[in-house]
Amino acid sequence: LPLHYACGARCSRETIYSLLMNFPQAALREDPNGMLPMHYLAQWGPDGQQGQMNMGVLDMVLVSTGDKAANCDRDGNTAERLAMNAEYDGHLDVAKHIATFLHKKGL
């Protein structure tokens, strides 16, 4: 699944934007483990320049994922939990960003 790969590989904003524009339904597709692209992005972190997280990438994928952003994978992990337990710099900021999005949506 190309969007899953792009999110896990920390591809550029432009790459993820292009995939979402050409295949908007890709944000809602689960892999065999029940993971959405949002799970991959949360686990590995968005692309960033000079130590800065690209929260724009995170926002694009969150908005495209909508209510499914709160979904658990087959192991019971939400994207927020994956970000909380991740080891990349800024992972707690990503988890907080996801939590804020979910709260605003009432999820």
Side-chain angles (χ1 to χ4, degrees), residues 65-91:
T65 305
D67 290 351
K68 288 185 85 173
N71 281 17
C72 294
D73 64 14
R74 299 233 193 297
D75 293 326
N77 294 309
T78 62
E80 181 183 0
R81 182 180 299 158
L82 289 170
M84 288 289 293
N85 294 329
E87 296 181 5
Y88 57 87
D89 290 338
H91 69 101

Side-chain angles (χ1 to χ4, degrees), residues 3 5 15 18 29 31 35 45 54 99:
L3 184 58
Y5 179 82
T15 299
S18 178
R29 300 256 336 254
D31 74 2
M35 293 178 75
N54 189 340

Side-chain angles (χ1 to χ4, degrees), residues 6-93:
C7 288
R10 303 183 74 200
C11 286
S12 70
R13 180 186 188 287
E14 293 76 19
T15 299
I16 292 176
Y17 176 81
S18 178
L19 288 167
L20 286 169
M21 290 298 100
N22 288 296
F23 310 101
Q25 70 283 0
L28 305 175
R29 300 256 336 254
E30 295 179 359
D31 74 2
N33 295 315
M35 293 178 75
L36 297 165
M38 186 69 245
H39 289 100
Y40 283 76
L41 192 58
Q43 186 169 3
W44 300 110
D47 175 46
Q49 299 289 326
Q50 301 168 346
Q52 298 295 317
M53 284 286 167
N54 189 340
M55 293 299 186
V57 168
L58 187 58
D59 285 331
M60 274 193 302
V61 177
L62 278 168
V63 169
S64 298
T65 305
D67 290 351
K68 288 185 85 173
N71 281 17
C72 294
D73 64 14
R74 299 233 193 297
D75 293 326
N77 294 309
T78 62
E80 181 183 0
R81 182 180 299 158
L82 289 170
M84 288 289 293
N85 294 329
E87 296 181 5
Y88 57 87
D89 290 338
H91 69 101
L92 295 177
D93 293 330

